[in-house]
Amino acid sequence: GGVAGNGFSLLKISKLFFQHTNSERWIVDIGDLKGKANKGLPGYYHVQMVQNPPQMIVNFNQMPVSVFNEIELTKMIKNSVFVSKGKLLSDPTDKTLTMIFDLKKPAQLKVLQVKGQKETSKLVFDLFL
């Protein structure tokens, strides 16, 4: 999903747990190339669920900049119900960013893209059993 542009940046990742549905929501804030709010749709992305070992892999094209770092990601994962480990891999040559989330067990995934209007564009990942 997403659209082409001059480039994008990973601004922030936040996480919510919903007790009543036993689901976890990961929200990725996507900025423009300068790390400012991105109006419109997020840049190109591809999401893949792997069953063995259970992983969620997110590839962002045109994303050479990340304000968010792996130390912050590790802190968020500590109290995650679904995610056991996470990595951010940046390739400056082809300007891509890959997020790899090792899951504690296989899960279902729903992906939503949120168009930036008042705030920046976002990608939302809902993990559930």
Side-chain angles (χ1 to χ4, degrees), residues 26-97:
W26 289 72
I27 304 164
V28 179
D29 287 11
I30 297 172
D32 65 11
L33 191 56
K34 296 178 180 155
K36 304 287 184 210
N38 179 55
K39 304 301 181 191
L41 293 171
Y44 283 129
Y45 64 91
H46 178 264
V47 182
Q48 176 183 356
M49 289 297 280
V50 178
Q51 294 303 315
N52 193 9
Q55 290 181 320
M56 176 176 74
I57 302 169
V58 184
N59 291 307
F60 291 103
N61 295 330
Q62 299 179 307
M63 191 175 284
V65 179
S66 177
V67 177
F68 191 82
N69 64 41
E70 208 163 298
I71 294 165
E72 293 169 296
L73 182 61
T74 302
K75 286 180 190 171
M76 285 184 61
I77 289 170
K78 282 185 180 173
N79 63 356
S80 172
V81 173
F82 287 90
V83 179
S84 63
K85 193 167 112 187
K87 287 184 269 199
L88 294 175
L89 306 172
S90 182
D91 186 340
T93 306
D94 62 2
K95 298 180 179 164
T96 60
L97 179 73

